[in-house]
Amino acid sequence: MLIDPKHLHILSAIVDAGGMSQGARDLGKSQPSLSRIVADLEARLGESLFEKGRRPLQPTELCTRLASEGRVIARATQQAQDIASQFISGHAGSVRVAGTPIFMDGVISTIIAGFQDEFPELRVDQSYGYAEELIEALRAGTVDTCVCPMEPGDVPDDIGFQRILKGRNVIACGSAHPLARKKSLRLEEISEFPWITQPAGSPLYQDLRDVLDSIGISDFKVSYSGGTLSSIINVLAGSKALTVLPFSVVYMQPKNTIVALPIRIEHPKRELGMLWNDMESQSPAKRRFIRYMTKRFAGISQAVAERQRQEIWRE
Amino acid sequence: MLIDPKHLHILSAIVDAGGMSQGARDLGKSQPSLSRIVADLEARLGESLFEKGRRPLQPTELCTRLASEGRVIARATQQAQDIASQFISGHAGSVRVAGTPIFMDGVISTIIAGFQDEFPELRVDQSYGYAEELIEALRAGTVDTCVCPMEPGDVPDDIGFQRILKGRNVIACGSAHPLARKKSLRLEEISEFPWITQPAGSPLYQDLRDVLDSIGISDFKVSYSGGTLSSIINVLAGSKALTVLPFSVVYMQPKNTIVALPIRIEHPKRELGMLWNDMESQSPAKRRFIRYMTKRFAGISQAVAERQRQEIWRE
DNA sequence: CAAATAATATAGCATAATGCTATGTTAATT
DNA sequence: AATTAACATAGCATTATGCTATATTATTTG
């Protein structure tokens, strides 16, 4: 003898409308439909829900109480409806993004801000990691998409990859650094300064080694390591240390914090890209996030390249 | 493209049970039934509700949100269920009782206390009136049952009537009254005292007139009128005034407040009874109230009569 | 890695619920 | 008494829901 929540909803609609005909109109149903549902309910409860023989339909005490539960049900159902349509349109939901620390802090977080400005109902859960862990997390389903510098050839077949920025590193220093104002530099000039490094397993650490190798510096002094980007920038800005950073990260910083030295260094073979596991099974919000990212970077990528040409390569 | 609240309920049951099979067991349904409902919902939403190809069934984010609405619906439906069964068993609801002021205050309210002690979820709304208004209120449906002294022959055909107490009036005074200790009285002895009267339209006012007429007092002094029972008792207790009251009212008062004088007076032709309009359409709570009343009075009626025989009629 | 296990998905069918229109009744109003 | 507007009922078509039997499949076990 179970009550169907739909019937309670209908009951509340009738009570609130003050009659069956109006209630039927409100619900987009026919009047006989409601009439029968009320009659069935009355039969099953063994109690009348409306005073018989009164024309402005008058709900029984029991009916009033059931109707108030019906209102709760109506609200919850509507809420579910809204959630579903918001979700389906990609305007609600959440995205779990992971990525390498420097890029996440230095570039992606700013883009995420723009994304959240446009889609305020979407929640972003951010976490950090390097390539292998990221791919593992994607496969385990603990993150939805990753931002990571990768060599396109190294991306496993089951993982989707979309390039968003070319890999372009620079040597960066604080804007008050003695080398910061020089228009051209010789390699010898930089060898006297200490270096800030990333953790040993990170791509940027490898990049730093490669750069210094290529310009003949095999023995270098590390003055600071282990900090996240904000610490690194503070240390750069307040000391004479140098470091290797993606130009895009330097580019996204506010003026007068850090600058890129006008020294050509090798491109890393990696390109920054977005990774995902199975685009088809992603929720609309997650697809929307990936779409937004690749679209925004289409513009940023050009702007960054252009600026870098002007500032460092001076072509 | 409306969502059925029942489906949300089912969804929440599946999520909470951690799988369809257990969810089906919890709901008392078959597993294929739930499986199909989930599949239909997914088809209609165009979004999957459980991660595909994972065996400990893992709800999608959308699913989790819909399930939480489903929980609201489940709770409200259960609540409605409880309300209905409480109501149907007569353990919940309300009764609107009206009656003549002296009886309501002097007798019925005490019985109502006992009723509420036994059925604490039942609400009683009390109001006051005399016969004609009471019957009118019954017909208008603004009260459910009335307690009123009536001549059984005067009850309209469409109104139900159940006798609960015979009409037995006494002359009452405060327990400190000079006449209170006398074992027998002559009529002349009472003629010197002033009288407390009910409103002119009330049965007890008529009874008072009849009593005094019958013992040859045509001209009597009214010292107080218009108060409800508590006022009347206070005035009786603190003055030498007399009044006519139903013996049942005197009987129900605490000792040492008012007493009945040992003078036989005429029985009013009215009998105290309960009135109702259409017993069939009454809710169980209201029927229960009427049943309780008539049952309680079956006992009280005898006790009152017995006491009255001892105290006044001394047979 | 194959077999076993337990869960979910699908198929097929019977029944119940729901929808509608047409029409009958009835309470309130004119 | 006639009119009106609302509710109730009947009849029929469609959809939803229930079940059992069975196929698939993810996970666990040997």
Side-chain angles (χ1 to χ4, degrees):
Chain A
M1 208 268 276
L2 290 172
I3 297 180
D4 185 333
K6 188 168 29 177
H7 295 165
L8 296 172
H9 178 182
I10 288 171
L11 209 58
S12 74
I14 295 172
V15 170
D16 293 345
M20 291 201 184
S21 301
Q22 188 55 46
R25 254 164 278 158
D26 293 351
L27 291 170
K29 292 182 189 297
S30 70
Q31 168 268 316
S33 196
L34 304 209
S35 176
R36 182 173 45 190
I37 280 167
V38 168
D40 286 356
L41 241 185
E42 285 180 332
R44 284 201 295 148
L45 294 174
E47 282 295 318
S48 62
L49 294 168
F50 294 94
E51 307 288 356
K52 278 167 288 196
R54 296 275 164 93
R55 209 30 87 78
L57 221 54
Q58 204 153 3
T60 300
E61 185 182 352
L62 173 61
C63 180
T64 306
R65 298 203 187 187
L66 296 184
S68 98
E69 299 304 321
R71 256 169 242 124
V72 172
I73 288 164
R75 205 175 326 124
T77 308
Q78 185 56 52
Q79 186 76 5
Q81 208 86 254
D82 294 346
I83 287 169
S85 58
Q86 281 280 87
F87 195 90
I88 288 163
S89 70
H91 287 83
S94 68
V95 196
R96 296 165 300 173
V97 204
T100 51
I102 295 295
F103 273 116
M104 291 308 287
D105 287 348
V107 182
I108 307 301
S109 55
T110 303
I111 314 295
I112 288 174
F115 180 72
Q116 293 203 313
D117 198 42
E118 191 164 338
F119 305 104
E121 294 305 310
L122 287 175
R123 165 176 164 171
V124 176
D125 290 320
Q126 181 174 316
S127 56
Y128 298 97
Y130 296 114
E132 303 81 40
E133 330 160 44
L134 293 176
I135 287 174
E136 201 175 327
L138 281 175
R139 290 212 181 99
T142 57
V143 300
D144 301 309
T145 184
C146 297
V147 177
C148 178
M150 294 281 288
E151 289 188 48
D154 288 351
V155 179
D157 286 345
D158 60 328
I159 299 292
F161 183 74
Q162 167 70 49
R163 292 165 24 175
I164 55 180
L165 267 186
K166 287 188 175 172
R168 291 287 185 265
N169 288 340
V170 292
I171 294 172
C173 60
S175 51
H177 196 282
L179 301 182
R181 304 231 184 78
K182 304 208 171 184
K183 299 220 165 165
S184 68
L185 281 175
R186 278 167 302 121
L187 292 176
E188 302 85 65
E189 293 182 77
I190 67 170
S191 58
E192 64 178 286
F193 296 102
W195 293 85
I196 295 174
T197 67
Q198 300 294 308
S202 75
L204 275 175
Y205 178 77
Q206 192 55 49
D207 289 345
L208 174 64
R209 305 280 318 227
D210 292 347
V211 163
L212 295 180
D213 269 355
S214 75
I215 60 183
I217 301 175
S218 58
D219 193 30
F220 56 95
K221 182 182 163 201
V222 172
S223 65
Y224 178 82
S225 80
T228 64
L229 184 61
S230 17
S231 295
I232 290 172
I233 288 171
N234 289 336
V235 175
L236 276 180
S239 77
K240 294 201 163 53
L242 304 174
T243 194
V244 169
L245 284 176
F247 180 69
S248 55
V249 171
V250 179
Y251 171 79
M252 299 291 271
Q253 292 307 309
K255 295 292 161 201
N256 300 322
T257 52
I258 58 174
V259 297
L261 295 182
I263 296 177
R264 289 172 173 244
I265 61 176
E266 276 190 353
H267 302 160
K269 280 157 292 182
R270 301 180 201 82
E271 301 189 42
L272 188 67
M274 299 195 73
L275 303 167
W276 56 81
N277 190 357
D278 174 11
M279 184 63 96
E280 292 314 303
S281 77
Q282 301 274 11
S283 82
K286 304 176 204 302
R287 282 202 292 267
R288 184 182 286 285
F289 179 79
I290 295 172
R291 231 184 309 139
Y292 178 91
M293 283 295 187
T294 54
K295 191 174 168 189
R296 277 292 303 273
F297 274 101
I300 290 173
S301 180
Q302 283 197 322
V304 172
E306 177 62 24
R307 173 79 74 88
Q308 192 177 28
R309 235 188 325 275
Q310 292 167 6
E311 291 194 6
I312 291 100
W313 297 84
R314 307 188 192 285
E315 287 165 343
Chain B
M1 209 268 276
L2 290 173
I3 297 180
D4 185 331
K6 189 167 29 176
H7 295 165
L8 296 171
H9 178 181
I10 289 171
L11 210 58
S12 74
I14 295 172
V15 169
D16 293 345
M20 291 202 184
S21 301
Q22 188 55 47
R25 255 164 279 157
D26 294 351
L27 290 171
K29 291 182 190 295
S30 70
Q31 169 267 316
S33 196
L34 304 209
S35 176
R36 183 175 42 192
I37 280 166
V38 168
D40 285 357
L41 242 185
E42 285 181 331
R44 283 201 294 148
L45 294 175
E47 281 296 317
S48 62
L49 294 168
F50 295 95
E51 307 290 354
K52 278 166 287 195
R54 297 273 164 96
R55 209 30 88 77
L57 221 53
Q58 204 153 3
T60 300
E61 184 182 353
L62 173 60
C63 180
T64 305
R65 299 204 186 185
L66 296 184
S68 98
E69 298 304 321
R71 257 169 241 124
V72 172
I73 288 165
R75 205 177 325 125
T77 308
Q78 185 56 51
Q79 186 75 6
Q81 209 86 255
D82 294 346
I83 287 169
S85 58
Q86 280 280 87
F87 195 90
I88 286 163
S89 69
H91 287 84
S94 70
V95 196
R96 295 164 302 173
V97 204
T100 52
I102 295 294
F103 273 115
M104 291 307 287
D105 288 348
V107 183
I108 306 303
S109 54
T110 303
I111 315 296
I112 288 174
F115 179 72
Q116 294 204 311
D117 199 40
E118 192 165 338
F119 305 103
E121 293 305 310
L122 287 175
R123 165 176 165 169
V124 176
D125 290 321
Q126 180 174 316
S127 56
Y128 299 97
Y130 296 114
E132 303 82 38
E133 329 160 44
L134 294 176
I135 287 173
E136 201 175 327
L138 281 175
R139 291 210 179 100
T142 57
V143 301
D144 301 310
T145 184
C146 298
V147 178
C148 178
M150 295 279 290
E151 291 190 47
D154 287 352
V155 178
D157 287 345
D158 59 328
I159 300 292
F161 182 74
Q162 167 70 49
R163 291 166 23 177
I164 56 181
L165 268 186
K166 287 189 176 171
R168 292 289 185 265
N169 286 341
V170 293
I171 294 173
C173 62
S175 51
H177 196 279
L179 300 182
R181 304 228 186 79
K182 304 210 173 186
K183 301 222 168 167
S184 68
L185 282 175
R186 280 167 300 120
L187 291 177
E188 301 86 64
E189 293 183 77
I190 67 169
S191 58
E192 62 177 289
F193 296 103
W195 294 86
I196 295 175
T197 67
Q198 300 295 307
S202 75
L204 275 175
Y205 179 77
Q206 192 55 49
D207 288 346
L208 174 67
R209 305 278 319 226
D210 292 347
V211 164
L212 296 181
D213 269 356
S214 73
I215 59 184
I217 301 175
S218 58
D219 194 31
F220 57 94
K221 181 183 162 201
V222 172
S223 64
Y224 179 81
S225 79
T228 63
L229 184 60
S230 17
S231 295
I232 290 172
I233 288 171
N234 289 337
V235 175
L236 277 179
S239 77
K240 296 200 163 50
L242 305 174
T243 194
V244 169
L245 284 177
F247 180 69
S248 55
V249 171
V250 178
Y251 169 80
M252 299 291 271
Q253 291 308 309
K255 296 290 159 202
N256 298 322
T257 51
I258 58 175
V259 297
L261 294 181
I263 297 177
R264 289 174 171 244
I265 59 177
E266 276 191 352
H267 302 162
K269 281 157 291 183
R270 302 179 200 82
E271 302 189 44
L272 188 67
M274 299 195 71
L275 303 167
W276 57 79
N277 190 357
D278 173 12
M279 184 63 95
E280 293 314 305
S281 77
Q282 300 275 10
S283 82
K286 304 175 204 301
R287 282 202 291 268
R288 185 181 285 284
F289 180 79
I290 295 172
R291 233 185 308 139
Y292 179 91
M293 284 294 186
T294 55
K295 191 173 169 187
R296 279 292 302 273
F297 273 102
I300 291 172
S301 180
Q302 284 195 320
V304 172
E306 178 61 24
R307 173 79 75 85
Q308 191 176 29
R309 235 189 323 275
Q310 292 166 5
E311 291 194 7
I312 292 99
W313 298 85
R314 306 186 192 285
E315 285 163 345

